Structure formats: C-alpha cells, structure tokens
Amino acid sequence: MVPSLVDGLELVGRGRVAALVGHLRDGAGVVDVDVPGPLGDFLAAEITDWLRRRDCWVLERPSGGAKGRWHLFFAHPDFRYAPVAARAGLAAEVSDFLIALAVDVKVPRHELDLRDAVRPLSSPHRHGAVTSPKGDLREALRGLKRVLPGRPAPSPLRPRVKIKPKYDQKAAPDTGSGLVIPLALQRWKRQLRAEWRQYLLTGEVPPGSWAAGSTKTRHAVAVDRSLVEAACTRELVWAIGNPETAWRIIRESHPTAMTKAKHQGYSWWIAYVWNESVRTAEMFTTTTDTKPRPVEIPPANVVDAVAAARQDLERLMWTVPARRRATLLLVGHQLLDRALRAGTLRVPCPERDLQLDCGLGDRKTIRAALARLNGRIGTLHTDCLSLVERDSTSYEFEINAAPSREGRQIPPPVLDPPPAARGLWLLLPRASHSLWRTLLTATTAMDLGDLVVKAGLVEAATDEPSKSQRSTAKAALVALSKAGMVRVDEHGRWKAATRPRSVQVEQDASAAYARQLETIEAERAAYRAGTTSSWSAGRARAIKAAKAREKAWWDNLSPAARADRAETKRLEFDQMSITDQAALKARLAERRIRAGIDELETYQTWLRTVPADDLVTRSLERKQRFKDLSPAERGASVAAWDRHRLRYGLTAQRFGTPGVDQRPTRPDVEQAALLPDGAAARDAAFLERQGNLLEQDPRQAAG
C-alpha cells in the first residue's frame, strides 16, 4: 500500500510492481466493460449515453486489454458506492441498468461491473500497455469541477470480500502480477508562501503589480500571466528546488493557474522559466555579503547523554505493557529532543507543553510517563515548581550524565530528526511515533515484521507479530507516508524519508493543534490564576486525613508493639529480592511525597533520631549481609540504592556539604557520616580501615 499517486508511479517497473490501482472517493465511480470486440464498443457507448442523460460527468478510457474493453469514469454529487447488497440511490440505479443490459445482450453480468477501484489514468496496464482517455482532458477536468466543485474527502478502504469465481480458474488472469493495493490520491508540496499556495489551489492571482504595458490583446493595466508565472516559479525554486516536484505541483494546480506553462510544456518551462529563476537565485546567493548563520551544535556531554538515554529508553520500553509503550516512548523522546535543542541536560517539562508536543489528550498519561522515566533515564525535579510563580516555574527533567568516553575525542553523530508539524501527532495513529523513530535509527530499509518487533508493538521482543499487529502497523505507516515521514520501496520495505507533506494533512494538523491549544490555554489561565478544582482539593484533604489517622494509630501503640512490628517488617524486607525491595522503597517514598512530606527531610530527621550505638549495630549488620551476597547481587544492590537516592534526592551523605544541608554538624551526625551507610558519600579506602577497626574491637566502637 502506497500513500500517493506520485509514490506509486515511482515504484512502477521496480521489482514485481507493474501497475497501480486507485480507490475512488465518494461522488465518483467507474464501470468496467470487459466485453471484447465491437460489442464492447457498442456497450460502452450505450452506458456512456445513459449516464450523461442523468447529468453525470463521464470520461472514457480503453482498459488496455483487448479491443472493446473500457473503463467508464463517471461522477455525480449523489453517487455513493456500496457493496451490491447495500446499494441505494444512484448506485442502485446504475447497478440495475448494468444487470438489465447484460441480460439483454446475453453477456455475463461480471463483464459489466460497477467498481470503486480502478487503475489511474497515469498508470500503465499490468501488461505494459499505456492507454489515453478519449477527448480533451482539460475540458473534462473543467467539467468535473462543475459537477464536484469541492474535492471530496478520502474515504477509508473498504474490506474486499473474496468471492469464489464461477468460471474456470485456469483462464483467470495472474494474480501475482505485482498489483498494488488501492491508494488515496494526494497533492504534495513544500512550504510555500500563503499567497502562492492560494494561487496554485484556486487560481487567484496574488495582489501586486502584474502589468507589463499594453499590447494588441491586453490593456495596459491587465495582468500579464508571464510575470505571474515567473514569480510563482521563483517561489517554487526557493521553496522546493526540485524541478520535477515543482512541475507535478503545476500539473495538479487549478486550471486557471500556470496556464502558459501547461500549454507550452515541461521542456519549454524548464528552459525559459525555471533555469532563469535558478540563475537569478544563484547570483543572489553569491553576491550577498552576509555569511550563513552557523548551526549550533549541542555540547559533547549533552550529545553523549542523550544517546545513552535513548538506549536506556529502548530497554525501558520492554518493562512496561505494550499498550502503554507508545506514550512512554513519545514523552521520552520529546524530552530528549528538548535537551538537544537547548544544549543542556536539565530542561523544563511543563505537562501542558508536553501535551501539545506529543499530541496527547490527557495530562495524567504524561504524568504517568514522567513517573516511569524518573530514575531510569534521568531525574524529575519537582522542587523547582513554585505555587507563587505559577507562570514562570515548572517541573524540570535532568538527563543522567553519560559514562566517560575513555579518551574519545570525536563526538558521536547527532540524531536530530526534523520536527513534525504542530498537531500532526494528534492525527496520526498512536503507533506512528515509535515506528517513525525506529526507522530513523535504521541503516537500511526494514520489513514490516521486523519493524513491528523493533518498534515495540509486540508484547515481548521474542514474540512474532500477529495479523492484527501487522495491520495496525501498516495503517500507521500509510498515515506517516502521507505526512511525508516514511516511504516504501518496490519490495514492501519501509524507510524514513523527508519530503513534502500533503496540503490536506497540514491543514488538518493545524486545525487540530489550534483546537487543542485553545483548550490548554484556558486550563493554563485557570491554573495561573490559582483556581483549584473541588476534586483536587477533596483529594488533598483525604490524603491528609488518612495520614493523620495512620499517625494517630501508630502513636497509640505501646513501645513494645512498635518494636515488634518494626522488627517483623524489617525481617520481611530482608527476605525480599533486590527488585522487590526497590519497588517497596519507591512505593513508600511516593506515598510520603503525595502526602506533602519531603523525602530528604524525613531521612535526615530519622538519621538524627537514631542513637549512635543502634546506628553502629545496623551498619555492621548491613555490612555482613552485603558480604553474604554474591558478586552479581552486590552490584545489583549498589545500583538499586544509587537509583533510589538519585531519584528522590538522597545523594548526599556528607551533611556539611554546602547547598545540600545547611544545618550545623553535631557529633552524632559526624559519626554517622563516617559509617558505611551509603555509596554516594563514603570513601572506599577510609571505610575499609574503619571496618577493620570495628571488627577488631566491637565493644570499643559501641562505646
């Protein structure tokens, strides 16, 4: 399946692709006359006359097979194609007429067939024949514009019902001849200025002075079409730079636009208009004194960190369910793109800005994705949000620094993909982003099955894509191709591409972005005004009340009961695996944060309240448990604690370090700082000597 006629024509003649089949829009249909010989010519004339007497626009084109076989294109505002059992209105009338005519002349019914899919005019026959329609195509196009003034929107592809043929299958045509599944016709373009885009779409000449003096056929103030077309070509040179793409746009433009170029033909337009505009553009660029603005390259440490974070993100996606994977990748890559553009590891991440960038409709989804990314590819800083300065503060995300490059001087290549149009992710299927990102990093074109697995659409990396998953990926890839972001080759393999987007796609994306922006701006204004919803206030009150009940219940317990419960929970924690311990620590920390309790303050308060003897005992027990672990478990334990401390801001064990803890040091705090309880602040050699002293005389160490 290809997204446009241009893409399809480029594949004709490559591999097994021999012809294209297009899917007609509502309002248009085609009658396939498959009767060879003079009888077929007679039937085509009869059907054409019958359609025209019912005010239908008709275009006749030989099908390319034997003589007498025709494709009769017709259009009418009331025509809507449907399967045989569901046809109504004009479609039912056409179908009944064809059946009656086939019975009258004694030919099989399938030889006079009403269809909605047919070979386009510019596509050759599957056997190589090229046929031209009857009559003047320009006049036919003007007639079609009168019947259908506005181009109908593309209709979704209808599922094809496989019907077992009643005739001899040996005489049937070869089904493996390279036909392409029906496509939707689109107009492609690059960014043109609004007035010239309007001229090509509607034929309306932009405002300006287009008079070149009077002639025998033109008044002095009349518009000189040569000046208009030269100016339009100059705009195409600057905006596109590709004469073939520009000529396609001219050919598909409004009948009243670029009329002289269309009449003279491609060779004349290239020689006398395009080349002159190119020479003018080259002279302009070489005589200017201004130097091109240099491209700002992100710092090497940012490039390394972003590259490492993308690899971590690819590993992280397999730890979440497949249905949540697309949003996780979308939010994660948007954060990494922001870091590259800003050239820093720490960037603001307002939820509403991410909502606009990602095209997501719910901030809860973004918040959940940020929570999963926190502690994995970076740290989500929530302490920088000030409720007093709501209009200038937000959460910030800091990407983990990359490991040392060990003397490498040349930084890795920067993968800075072209930004998608605003609002485009709102229109595209959710799986489109992960597919596009996968193709961006691929060095060669990818088959559909490998692409589905690599993009994470399957549940596990070892799973085979199901039929449903392949269908979902194919629909998303077609949507991406219409947006100019991927393309398919003649072998059905996909690769990333950067090319002009469809006018309709860009207009729909802009409209969707405007609607979402209006909603978000209203929410942002209410947030900055300090308006709090009743639900949020009620939730905060409920959390506070639950925390108060928990504290009251704990305070009412006897010291013996508290010690017994603490010892029981401690033993349960020691019996857990390292992964379960990390999950429990994170869950308890999140509960305290939701209740408004600062995690670092809680930790420091607990540390100051523990007696020195108890702290020494706990440290010795932890050291012994650490020795009993295997080397692999030791590394996993250290990594888990490091991630936990980094995620919740518990990275400082030296309590006298400025900027981390400004409280005056006390003897018991200084003693705690010397104990082997945390990898972020201890010195390995000193702790080894300290541990040897404690093993030699535990009583003396305990006081």
Side-chain angles (χ1 to χ4, degrees):
M1 180 180 294
V2 292
S4 70
L5 179 62
V6 175
D7 296 326
L9 292 177
E10 291 179 354
L11 299 179
V12 172
R14 301 180 182 177
R16 299 173 57 195
V17 180
L20 304 178
V21 176
H23 180 68
L24 295 174
R25 307 187 182 202
D26 288 338
V30 64
V31 176
D32 181 24
V33 179
D34 200 18
V35 181
L39 181 58
D41 297 334
F42 168 77
L43 294 177
E46 285 292 319
I47 297 171
T48 300
D49 180 68
W50 185 88
L51 290 171
R52 284 176 176 162
R53 282 188 281 111
R54 280 152 183 80
D55 299 327
C56 292
W57 172 87
V58 182
L59 179 66
E60 305 170 72
R61 194 265 309 266
S63 67
K67 291 184 178 181
R69 295 178 176 175
W70 293 84
H71 289 157
L72 305 179
F73 297 86
F74 67 94
H76 193 279
D78 298 333
F79 179 78
R80 297 292 183 273
Y81 180 85
V84 178
R87 288 175 184 171
L90 183 58
E93 294 181 17
V94 175
S95 182
D96 294 341
F97 170 74
L98 295 177
I99 293 174
L101 183 61
V103 172
D104 188 27
V105 298
K106 295 181 175 58
V107 298
R109 293 184 180 181
H110 67 268
E111 293 186 358
L112 299 179
D113 190 18
L114 176 63
R115 299 181 177 181
D116 68 332
V118 68
R119 178 169 52 88
L121 298 179
S122 54
S123 171
H125 193 268
R126 65 179 181 272
H127 297 307
V130 179
T131 57
S132 301
K134 293 175 59 177
D136 186 1
L137 282 180
R138 293 184 181 179
E139 181 62 30
L141 181 58
R142 286 192 285 268
L144 180 60
K145 291 289 186 180
R146 288 191 293 268
V147 175
L148 299 175
R151 185 174 61 174
S155 55
L157 295 179
R158 303 177 182 90
R160 299 295 178 185
V161 180
K162 295 183 179 180
I163 302 176
K164 185 177 181 180
K166 298 181 181 180
Y167 53 90
D168 187 8
Q169 293 186 359
K170 295 182 180 179
D174 183 14
T175 58
S177 56
L179 292 179
V180 180
I181 301 176
L183 53 92
L185 304 182
Q186 294 285 342
R187 178 183 286 108
W188 300 94
K189 68 156 193 81
R190 288 194 188 273
Q191 292 293 338
L192 296 174
R193 288 189 295 176
E195 59 268 23
W196 292 114
R197 186 190 309 175
Q198 186 72 12
Y199 169 69
L200 292 171
L201 291 176
T202 64
E204 180 181 350
V205 178
S209 178
W210 305 110
S214 60
T215 63
K216 293 182 179 180
T217 60
R218 185 181 66 233
H219 299 291
V221 295
V223 174
D224 185 356
R225 63 175 182 174
S226 297
L227 294 179
V228 177
E229 295 188 14
C232 183
T233 303
R234 184 172 62 250
E235 176 65 19
L236 292 173
V237 168
W238 285 100
I240 296 179
N242 187 342
E244 295 181 358
T245 304
W247 181 249
R248 290 174 190 154
I249 293 177
I250 292 174
R251 287 181 56 190
E252 299 176 5
S253 63
H254 193 269
T256 61
M258 303 293 291
T259 55
K260 186 174 182 179
K262 294 175 183 176
H263 176 72
Q264 296 291 346
Y266 176 72
S267 300
W268 177 90
W269 175 75
I270 285 290
Y272 296 101
V273 186
W274 177 269
N275 290 342
E276 290 296 327
S277 299
V278 170
R279 280 191 286 268
T280 303
E282 291 176 351
M283 292 173 58
F284 177 80
T285 55
T286 55
T287 56
T288 178
D289 294 331
T290 59
K291 296 182 179 179
R293 182 173 59 90
V295 179
E296 297 182 359
I297 301 177
N301 64 320
V302 177
V303 174
D304 292 344
V306 170
R310 292 195 195 276
Q311 296 177 0
D312 294 339
L313 183 60
E314 184 176 353
R315 290 189 291 268
L316 177 62
M317 74 175 184
W318 295 109
T319 64
V320 299
R323 60 188 181 88
R324 300 179 181 176
R325 203 170 288 159
T327 55
L328 176 68
L329 294 174
L330 184 56
V331 176
H333 283 297
Q334 289 292 343
L335 285 174
L336 298 178
D337 291 344
R338 283 192 169 203
L340 273 182
R341 291 193 298 267
T344 59
L345 295 179
R346 181 164 174 168
V347 291
C349 56
E351 292 179 356
R352 292 180 177 87
D353 285 355
L354 287 175
Q355 189 177 354
L356 284 173
D357 295 341
C358 301
L360 299 175
D362 188 5
R363 286 192 294 116
K364 294 181 181 178
T365 305
I366 296 177
R367 195 175 300 123
L370 289 175
R372 291 189 181 95
L373 296 173
N374 185 23
R376 277 80 173 183
I377 69 171
T379 305
L380 180 64
H381 296 279
T382 59
D383 54 348
C384 50
L385 174 63
S386 173
L387 298 180
V388 179
E389 301 176 350
R390 295 171 180 252
D391 58 343
S392 58
T393 61
S394 67
Y395 289 170
E396 295 182 1
F397 196 90
E398 185 177 6
I399 302 172
N400 295 335
S404 175
R405 290 190 285 175
E406 299 180 357
R408 180 183 174 188
Q409 299 298 326
I410 301 176
V414 180
L415 177 61
D416 191 6
R422 287 184 171 182
L424 186 60
W425 299 122
L426 280 168
L427 303 178
L428 298 178
R430 185 63 63 218
S432 300
H433 182 268
S434 57
L435 292 168
W436 177 59
R437 290 283 180 176
T438 304
L439 291 175
L440 281 177
T441 57
T443 56
T444 59
M446 299 185 65
D447 293 329
L448 182 62
D450 297 338
L451 180 57
V452 170
V453 175
K454 188 70 174 177
L457 301 188
V458 295
E459 194 65 36
T462 57
D463 293 349
E464 286 291 332
S466 64
K467 182 179 179 181
S468 174
Q469 291 167 345
R470 295 173 69 93
S471 177
T472 300
K474 186 180 294 184
L477 288 169
V478 171
L480 282 171
S481 187
K482 291 180 181 179
M485 303 170 74
V486 301
R487 65 184 309 166
V488 62
D489 60 13
E490 64 273 14
H491 303 293
R493 295 175 300 191
W494 296 87
K495 56 185 176 181
T498 303
R499 59 183 183 182
R501 279 188 288 269
S502 167
V503 176
Q504 189 64 40
V505 168
E506 183 168 325
Q507 291 175 352
D508 294 344
S510 299
Y513 179 80
R515 291 192 298 268
Q516 188 183 34
L517 180 62
E518 182 180 1
T519 303
I520 288 179
E521 287 297 334
E523 295 178 357
R524 182 170 285 161
Y527 167 75
R528 290 177 177 177
T531 305
T532 304
S533 64
S534 58
W535 183 89
S536 298
R539 178 175 179 271
R541 288 193 297 268
I543 292 176
K544 186 177 181 180
K547 197 65 181 178
R549 288 193 299 270
E550 293 174 1
K551 188 176 185 305
W553 171 81
W554 180 258
D555 293 340
N556 290 331
L557 293 178
S558 63
R562 293 182 194 174
D564 183 62
R565 294 184 65 88
E567 184 64 24
T568 301
K569 293 297 181 181
R570 183 179 176 183
L571 292 176
E572 291 179 2
F573 183 82
D574 293 339
Q575 296 300 322
M576 292 181 179
S577 64
I578 296 175
T579 303
D580 294 339
Q581 289 179 353
L584 178 61
K585 290 184 294 184
R587 188 162 61 250
L588 295 176
E590 294 293 340
R591 284 179 54 187
R592 289 189 289 267
I593 292 174
R594 285 195 299 269
I597 301 174
D598 183 77
E599 188 68 9
L600 180 60
E601 180 68 24
T602 303
Y603 170 72
Q604 293 173 353
T605 302
W606 169 83
L607 192 59
R608 285 191 294 269
T609 56
V610 176
D613 294 345
D614 294 346
L615 195 60
V616 170
T617 303
R618 292 171 61 90
S619 299
L620 293 174
E621 292 176 354
R622 288 185 57 187
K623 183 177 180 180
Q624 185 60 42
R625 287 198 303 269
F626 188 79
K627 286 184 177 180
D628 295 339
L629 297 176
S630 64
E633 290 176 330
R634 293 178 187 177
S637 177
V638 172
W641 275 107
D642 285 345
R643 286 195 300 268
H644 182 80
R645 293 188 177 98
L646 181 63
R647 181 176 182 180
Y648 297 104
L650 309 179
T651 56
Q653 290 285 329
R654 295 174 182 171
F655 293 92
T657 304
V660 177
D661 186 12
Q662 301 296 337
R663 299 180 183 86
T665 58
R666 296 183 347 207
D668 56 341
V669 177
E670 292 177 352
Q671 183 179 359
L674 300 179
L675 294 176
D677 188 15
R682 65 178 180 250
D683 182 85
F686 176 78
L687 288 182
E688 185 65 26
R689 293 194 300 269
Q690 185 72 9
N692 293 335
L693 292 175
L694 293 175
E695 288 179 355
Q696 293 173 4
D697 194 358
R699 297 181 181 179
Q700 182 179 357

